[in-house]
Amino acid sequence: MTRLPVSLQSLVIQCIALLLAALLLFLIQIPFSYQPVLWQAVVLQGGIAALFSRVWRQPVWWQALHALFLPAIQLARQANLPAGVYLAAFLLLVVFYWSTFRTRVPLYLSDHKAWHAVASLLPEGRAFHFIDLGSGLGGLLFHLESRFPQGRFFGTEIAPAPWLISRLRGWLKHSQVSFLRRDYTSLNLADFDVVFAFLSPAAMPALWQQAQSQMRSGSLFISLSFTVNTRQPDRVVLLAEGTRHTLYMWRM
Ligand SMILES: C[S@@+](CC[C@H](N)C(=O)[O-])C[C@H]1O[C@@H](n2cnc3c(N)ncnc32)[C@H](O)[C@@H]1O
C-alpha cells in the first residue's frame, strides 16, 4: 500500500473502523435482536482502529491513540463541557502546531544535554552566525548566546505561538537573539556559519538538499536526532546511552 502521511492514514483508519463497527453492530442486531449501547459501539470502533493501525505498521503509540480517540470524545461529551472549551483547545493546537500537517515537524523541545553537546561543536573565541531552523521556544539559542558572546544567534519558526513566546522570552532576558517568523525553506543558508536543525526524518532529505546547495564551504550543519542517508556525518555525539538522542555534524 502507498505510504500516506501518518495523519492521513489515521483519518482513513478512523473512518473505516467507524463504518466497520456500525456494520458489525447492525449485523449482530438481526439474528440476536440485540440493541448495543453507545459505549459498546465506541469501544468496538477503537479496537478495530487500533488493529488496523497495527496492520498498517504505524508507530506503537498511534495504536493507543486510535483505541482511545472515540472513547475520549464520548467521555468529553458526557462531561457536558461548554462548546467554547473545544474551540479554545482547537485554537491552541492551531497556534502551536500551525503547519505540522504539511511540514511533518511537530513542536518538541531539545534539552540541556543537547544544548551542551551543540556548544561543544561551536568555535571558541571567534565570531560566527548561528541559526536554529524551527527554533521552538528559543531555549537552545538563549543558552548558546550566554556561552558565546562573540556569536550572533538567529532562530526561525513557522508556528505563531512558539515564535511569539520566544520573542517575549528574548525581550524579558534583554537578549540579542533574532527570531524570524519564516519558513526556513525561504532562507538562504549561505548567511550562516552554523546551521542547526531538530526536525523530523520527513524533513531531512529536502533540508539536506537545501544545505548542500546553499551552505558555504567550511560551514557546519548540525542535526539533532535525525541523520541523512546520502553522506556519513563528520562527527557523531551520543548524548545518552541507549537513546536515539544523537547529534550529527557535517562540515560542508
Ligand atoms: C522539534 S521542534 C524543535 C524546537 C527547537 N529547535 C528546540 O531545539 O527545542 C521543531 C520546530 O520546527 C518548526 N518548524 C517546522 N517546520 C518549519 C519550517 N519549515 N520553517 C520554520 N519552522 C519550522 C516547528 O513549528 C517546531 O516548533
Side-chain angles (χ1 to χ4, degrees):
M1 216 179 296
T2 329
R3 280 322 271 186
L4 287 173
V6 183
S7 44
L8 277 183
Q9 281 178 11
S10 299
L11 187 64
V12 172
I13 287 173
Q14 280 293 322
C15 293
I16 293 179
L18 199 59
L19 288 175
L20 275 180
L23 186 67
L24 272 175
L25 291 171
F26 174 73
L27 291 176
I28 286 173
Q29 277 178 49
I30 301 173
F32 303 113
S33 20
Y34 169 72
Q35 195 66 44
V37 292
L38 188 56
W39 262 110
Q40 289 165 330
V42 162
V43 169
L44 179 65
Q45 191 273 354
I48 295 173
L51 190 70
F52 272 96
S53 170
R54 194 179 161 82
V55 170
W56 214 334
R57 295 192 184 161
Q58 289 193 319
V60 191
W61 60 88
W62 277 94
Q63 293 161 33
L65 289 179
H66 280 295
L68 297 176
F69 181 66
L70 219 53
I73 291 182
Q74 174 62 2
L75 261 183
R77 268 168 46 88
Q78 286 183 350
N80 271 332
L81 297 174
V85 171
Y86 297 102
L87 181 63
F90 173 71
L91 291 178
L92 207 63
L93 288 174
V94 168
V95 291
F96 274 93
Y97 289 95
W98 203 244
S99 32
T100 298
F101 188 77
R102 175 177 66 78
T103 61
R104 295 162 72 188
V105 183
L107 169 69
Y108 39 90
L109 305 175
S110 54
D111 57 14
H112 278 88
K113 253 190 198 142
W115 302 351
H116 290 299
V118 174
S120 74
L121 300 175
L122 299 187
E124 295 277 358
R126 69 175 166 86
F128 59 89
H129 281 194
F130 178 106
I131 187 160
D132 181 356
L133 306 180
S135 45
L137 306 184
L140 168 71
L141 294 165
F142 295 130
H143 173 81
L144 294 177
E145 181 186 43
S146 66
R147 290 199 46 187
F148 295 88
Q150 74 284 10
R152 181 88 177 82
F153 294 93
F154 299 82
T156 188
E157 176 53 58
I158 206 168
W163 168 79
L164 192 62
I165 292 171
S166 31
R167 289 289 297 254
L168 281 173
R169 290 182 75 196
W171 179 69
L172 289 172
K173 288 171 186 282
H174 305 291
S175 158
Q176 297 300 309
V177 177
S178 303
F179 290 103
L180 318 170
R181 217 196 124 229
R182 295 264 300 272
D183 187 323
Y184 65 74
T185 57
S186 70
L187 298 181
N188 183 0
L189 301 182
D191 294 337
F192 307 96
D193 305 291
V194 187
V195 172
F196 170 83
F198 176 33
L199 297 168
S200 77
M204 289 310 286
L207 175 58
W208 179 244
Q209 289 239 322
Q210 185 184 355
Q212 277 185 307
S213 66
Q214 295 179 341
M215 286 181 70
R216 280 177 281 109
S217 164
S219 55
L220 299 183
F221 179 70
I222 302 173
S223 172
L224 175 58
S225 291
F226 309 109
T227 186
V228 295
N229 296 326
T230 44
R231 195 184 126 187
Q232 287 293 315
D234 296 306
R235 231 177 120 183
V236 176
V237 182
L238 274 180
L239 304 182
E241 213 52 61
T243 76
R244 66 192 189 101
H245 285 287
T246 305
L247 204 59
Y248 303 94
M249 190 207 83
W250 292 263
R251 191 168 286 281
M252 307 303 283

